[in-house]
Amino acid sequence: MVTIKDIAQITGVSCTTVSNVINGKDHRVSAETIERINEAIQKLGYVPNMSARSLVSNSSKVIGFINHVVTKDDSNFMEDPFHSVFIGVLERVLRENGYYLMLRTVATAEELMAFLRNWNVDGLFFTGIFKDAFFDALAPLTIPIVLVDSYVSDTHICNIGLEDFKGSHMATSHLIEKGHRKIAFASPSFREGGVVHARFSGYQKALEDNHIPFDPSLILEAEMDFSSCQQLCDELIRIPELTALVVSADIMAANLMTCLREKGIAIPRDISVIGFDDISLSRVVTPPLTTIHQDMNLKGSMAVEMMLERLEGNTPKKSNITLPVQLIQRESVRTL
Amino acid sequence: MVTIKDIAQITGVSCTTVSNVINGKDHRVSAETIERINEAIQKLGYVPNMSARSLVSNSSKVIGFINHVVTKDDSNFMEDPFHSVFIGVLERVLRENGYYLMLRTVATAEELMAFLRNWNVDGLFFTGIFKDAFFDALAPLTIPIVLVDSYVSDTHICNIGLEDFKGSHMATSHLIEKGHRKIAFASPSFREGGVVHARFSGYQKALEDNHIPFDPSLILEAEMDFSSCQQLCDELIRIPELTALVVSADIMAANLMTCLREKGIAIPRDISVIGFDDISLSRVVTPPLTTIHQDMNLKGSMAVEMMLERLEGNTPKKSNITLPVQLIQRESVRTL
DNA sequence: AGTTAAACGTTAAACGTTTTAATTTCCGTA
DNA sequence: TACGGAAATTAAAACGTTTAACGTTTAACT
């Protein structure tokens, strides 16, 4: 292993100087020396040891992506394209800026703290954090934290979210324009500070704006997996005169559509469906799903941008970004 | 920050002893001392500093998941459920065994080596490595390396793969049993040492076994994304009397089915399609895709198991595991 | 010529852990 | 009582960096 010492020795210079050159603090070093040092680095193939670096500097260049599991389940959080696509973007941009990405699942705040101190983690990404005890444990942390899809606000914690309310309002209004009046709302379970809440409000407001009375029996909750959707489907078909359905997540919509089809219910002939998210699947499902589009890649790059800004020590202009959504009309909605 | 020194001081013992207790080398420490130390650790909330640890011990507990990009593209490798689901499993099992997972994209072997030495990486996972210069660069490495879906063999590198040949043979035979004779094979581009090759051979052999002459004009290559599939689709419909299609990846099959439908071609009425992989999407697409199933979660856990065995220093029983596949009949194949 | 300040360095301590080799303590036995 | 040896413990070096704090030399002003 070639160390900074070797470089120093070979170039006849001290460790400090080599270190300064490596770290771009070369304003105190002559151009000629810099040249010599860089050559030696090149020739010997020197690579800095991050452990040594972080040991002394209290900064590791490690950014954590935290998957917070509420219940100790063995489900694979990577099944959700939202996590994976997001992580893919993170990895790329962080790397381009000299950072490293560590994945970590934690159940408790203690586990998180241990992880942070294990590695001197420099920054943290979270998806789907809600207002609860766990979130409160984040407050005393001083490293930059970027939340995604969390309706929680805090001075030093960034959030990057979506026009959930607006999107849902658009979806519902679209159905109403197409002549639908009895419209159900299906979604994963509500959690305080989660996106579902905002999406539900959008649905509710759209009804109100169109003078359609709100009917609580049209609100359906279930998990997103296939078998939960089957149960939900049974409830659905028992609702009389239902003509349309707003689903607050495309994965769920896709599962639901499959269940409905298996029961001989045609979409959009018997029932119209509109989704939310526009994941890649939505285009490929039959019929292609009309949905509210969000730009996952943009979301990821905005999140990294906020993170990087904070890492550089600049307080960013905004600590709360809301990304736009867009209605994508495909074939799962019919005009009444 | 509470260090090992603090624990030593408070319990009136040396750093060495504390270290020994922490690392389970407590055979040289009296039971009473162990007790005292553990209490102090608990009370002060001591958490080991991995940087310091790896600095001196040349082992970091960091396992890298490497995404090797051949061309410098900006596509998101996490779009592929194979990577993401796999990584999800890795993270869980590695964590349960005291390891940490770092994600890293590299373009060249040099980048990889730099990464390894940056962090003293203890082990490496790869998906989709092919027999090329990059692979050769892996040879001199001494840390455990686990490959997934790579038809390359090397003494100290593990591989965990699939019955690709058999699966493809099953798929093709299934179509033949259903009365099909003119069967095309569509797949992402062939690469030496990649799974596509094996899957192609299975197709070819099934034809041969059934005395159907092989027709090279029925072999179609394209990338998996939607627009490439559209082009491929144009070629497809120009083939006269084609009744069936083996697609060597479900993502591609799904895209292809959508393109075909957009051109007014009904599945399975006009053309039967059989896929490979059985990703979650396959069930939800219309018609539900008949495909060859593989167990991604099993694949992940087997891969970690091999990795852990090597990390413990045991040479595992096998360095090459082939997982079984299974035909899942759904509705995309019709009987002629 | 003498003073200053910039330019170009260096020395050595510190970071938190592991590990080797040395040291002390304790106990049973000759 | 002395002694051998096992058991329990320790001191100190080492890992590869960064970073204060300090030292030279040189160029530029009075």
Side-chain angles (χ1 to χ4, degrees):
Chain A
M1 163 168 261
V2 28
T3 76
I4 219 173
K5 222 177 253 174
D6 300 322
I7 304 291
Q9 182 140 23
I10 253 192
T11 54
V13 110
S14 78
C15 291
T16 308
T17 304
V18 177
S19 174
N20 281 333
V21 170
I22 290 172
N23 295 301
K25 297 179 185 164
D26 44 14
H27 46 88
R28 359 177 102 240
V29 185
S30 73
E32 187 245 351
T33 308
I34 293 180
E35 172 85 2
R36 251 184 24 249
I37 291 178
N38 280 328
E39 262 174 19
I41 288 180
Q42 197 69 30
K43 203 166 76 186
L44 300 201
Y46 166 79
V47 169
N49 180 320
M50 296 306 286
S51 299
R53 205 175 249 188
S54 75
L55 184 58
V56 56
S57 68
N58 269 324
S59 144
S60 60
K61 298 283 177 185
V62 169
I63 306 297
F65 177 92
I66 305 296
N67 167 233
H68 175 216
V69 296
V70 189
T71 59
K72 202 74 180 178
D73 64 354
D74 55 349
S75 78
N76 188 338
F77 75 108
M78 284 284 146
E79 303 265 9
D80 187 343
F82 283 90
H83 291 132
S84 50
V85 171
F86 189 73
I87 288 173
V89 179
L90 293 193
E91 194 276 334
R92 183 166 56 80
V93 187
L94 286 178
R95 175 168 39 81
E96 287 167 357
N97 285 273
Y99 289 90
Y100 298 83
L101 181 62
M102 254 191 197
L103 251 49
R104 193 72 178 175
T105 300
V106 303
T108 66
E110 288 71 42
E111 279 179 30
L112 175 63
M113 298 307 164
F115 172 64
L116 295 185
R117 282 163 52 198
N118 272 323
W119 290 105
N120 268 313
V121 175
D122 279 358
L124 240 31
F125 284 102
F126 282 95
T127 59
I129 282 296
F130 313 104
K131 190 69 192 169
D132 65 359
F134 185 87
F135 176 78
D136 292 336
L138 260 47
L141 292 178
T142 55
I143 55 174
I145 297 179
V146 175
L147 264 35
V148 181
D149 285 337
S150 299
Y151 279 80
V152 290
S153 47
D154 200 292
T155 47
H156 84 299
I157 297 182
C158 302
N159 182 58
I160 162 139
L162 214 61
E163 296 175 337
D164 291 299
F165 176 88
K166 184 175 167 197
S168 199
H169 192 282
M170 282 165 66
T172 313
S173 303
H174 179 67
L175 291 173
I176 296 172
E177 274 168 33
K178 295 287 183 181
H180 297 273
R181 286 297 171 270
K182 190 150 187 181
I183 303 168
F185 180 83
S187 79
S189 46
F190 287 58
R191 300 215 238 177
E192 196 189 347
V195 295
V196 171
H197 225 90
R199 294 183 184 181
F200 169 68
S201 303
Y203 158 82
Q204 217 174 8
K205 184 65 163 42
L207 293 181
E208 189 187 320
D209 289 350
N210 289 277
H211 314 293
I212 299 175
F214 170 67
D215 177 355
S217 74
L218 297 180
I219 307 306
L220 303 165
E221 262 182 87
E223 293 312 301
M224 299 203 290
D225 62 290
F226 202 84
S227 58
S228 304
C229 284
Q230 281 178 313
Q231 284 184 274
L232 195 144
C233 196
D234 289 332
E235 296 180 48
L236 211 56
I237 56 182
R238 271 194 232 101
I239 302 176
E241 290 159 35
L242 187 70
T243 68
L245 181 58
V246 175
V247 189
S248 79
D250 278 4
I251 316 179
M252 195 164 178
N255 283 334
L256 231 35
M257 280 165 71
T258 305
C259 296
L260 287 168
R261 182 160 34 74
E262 284 175 1
K263 292 194 187 299
I265 296 169
I267 296 165
R269 194 197 61 200
D270 302 330
I271 193 164
S272 292
V273 176
I274 191 165
F276 204 122
D277 290 338
D278 194 23
I279 57 183
S280 57
L281 184 154
S282 311
R283 184 181 191 178
V284 123
V285 99
T286 314
L289 184 63
T290 293
T291 190
I292 302 298
H293 172 85
Q294 67 161 307
D295 188 338
M296 278 305 296
N297 286 298
L298 179 61
K299 209 176 193 179
S301 54
M302 295 295 278
V304 188
E305 199 177 293
M306 290 190 103
M307 173 63 78
L308 289 172
E309 255 180 352
R310 303 229 155 181
L311 286 169
E312 313 298 323
N314 322 328
T315 32
K317 307 108 199 169
K318 316 194 77 179
S319 72
N320 216 301
I321 292 185
T322 304
L323 260 28
V325 295
Q326 193 186 343
L327 173 68
I328 305 284
Q329 295 195 40
R330 290 203 267 250
E331 300 163 31
S332 62
V333 173
R334 102 173 234 245
T335 312
L336 272 196
Chain B
M1 164 168 262
V2 27
T3 76
I4 220 173
K5 222 176 252 173
D6 300 323
I7 303 291
Q9 183 139 23
I10 252 193
T11 54
V13 109
S14 77
C15 290
T16 310
T17 305
V18 177
S19 174
N20 282 332
V21 170
I22 290 172
N23 295 300
K25 298 180 184 162
D26 41 15
H27 47 88
R28 358 177 106 241
V29 185
S30 72
E32 187 246 351
T33 308
I34 294 180
E35 172 82 4
R36 254 186 20 249
I37 292 178
N38 280 329
E39 261 174 18
I41 288 180
Q42 197 68 31
K43 204 167 77 186
L44 300 201
Y46 166 79
V47 169
N49 180 319
M50 297 307 285
S51 298
R53 204 174 251 189
S54 76
L55 184 57
V56 56
S57 68
N58 270 324
S59 144
S60 60
K61 297 283 177 186
V62 169
I63 306 296
F65 177 93
I66 306 297
N67 167 231
H68 175 216
V69 297
V70 189
T71 59
K72 203 72 182 177
D73 65 353
D74 56 350
S75 78
N76 188 337
F77 75 109
M78 283 285 145
E79 303 264 9
D80 187 342
F82 283 90
H83 291 133
S84 49
V85 171
F86 189 72
I87 288 172
V89 179
L90 293 192
E91 194 276 333
R92 183 166 55 81
V93 186
L94 286 177
R95 175 169 38 81
E96 288 167 357
N97 286 274
Y99 289 91
Y100 299 83
L101 182 62
M102 256 191 195
L103 252 47
R104 192 73 178 175
T105 300
V106 303
T108 66
E110 287 72 44
E111 279 179 29
L112 175 63
M113 296 307 164
F115 172 65
L116 295 186
R117 284 163 51 198
N118 272 323
W119 291 104
N120 268 313
V121 174
D122 279 358
L124 240 32
F125 284 103
F126 282 95
T127 60
I129 281 296
F130 313 105
K131 189 69 193 170
D132 65 359
F134 184 86
F135 176 78
D136 292 336
L138 261 46
L141 293 179
T142 55
I143 55 173
I145 298 180
V146 175
L147 264 36
V148 182
D149 285 338
S150 299
Y151 277 81
V152 289
S153 46
D154 200 293
T155 47
H156 85 298
I157 297 182
C158 301
N159 182 57
I160 163 138
L162 215 61
E163 296 175 337
D164 291 299
F165 176 89
K166 184 176 165 195
S168 198
H169 191 283
M170 281 165 67
T172 313
S173 303
H174 179 68
L175 291 173
I176 296 172
E177 272 168 35
K178 295 288 183 181
H180 297 273
R181 286 298 172 269
K182 191 148 188 181
I183 303 167
F185 180 83
S187 78
S189 47
F190 287 55
R191 298 216 238 177
E192 196 190 346
V195 295
V196 171
H197 226 89
R199 295 184 183 181
F200 169 68
S201 303
Y203 158 83
Q204 217 173 9
K205 184 63 164 42
L207 293 180
E208 190 188 319
D209 290 349
N210 290 275
H211 314 294
I212 300 175
F214 170 68
D215 178 355
S217 73
L218 297 181
I219 308 307
L220 303 165
E221 264 182 85
E223 292 312 300
M224 300 202 290
D225 62 292
F226 201 85
S227 59
S228 306
C229 284
Q230 281 177 314
Q231 284 184 274
L232 194 145
C233 196
D234 290 332
E235 297 181 47
L236 211 56
I237 57 182
R238 273 194 231 101
I239 302 175
E241 291 159 34
L242 187 70
T243 67
L245 182 57
V246 175
V247 189
S248 79
D250 278 4
I251 315 178
M252 195 165 179
N255 283 334
L256 232 34
M257 280 165 70
T258 306
C259 295
L260 286 168
R261 182 160 34 74
E262 284 175 359
K263 292 193 187 300
I265 296 168
I267 297 165
R269 193 197 61 199
D270 301 330
I271 193 163
S272 293
V273 177
I274 191 165
F276 204 122
D277 290 338
D278 194 24
I279 58 184
S280 58
L281 183 155
S282 312
R283 184 180 189 177
V284 123
V285 99
T286 313
L289 185 62
T290 292
T291 190
I292 303 298
H293 172 86
Q294 67 161 307
D295 188 338
M296 278 307 295
N297 286 299
L298 178 61
K299 209 177 193 177
S301 53
M302 295 295 280
V304 188
E305 198 176 294
M306 291 190 100
M307 174 63 79
L308 290 172
E309 255 180 352
R310 303 229 156 181
L311 286 169
E312 313 298 325
N314 321 328
T315 32
K317 307 109 201 171
K318 316 193 78 178
S319 73
N320 216 302
I321 292 184
T322 304
L323 260 29
V325 296
Q326 193 187 343
L327 174 68
I328 305 284
Q329 295 193 40
R330 290 200 268 252
E331 300 163 32
S332 62
V333 173
R334 100 173 234 245
T335 313
L336 273 196

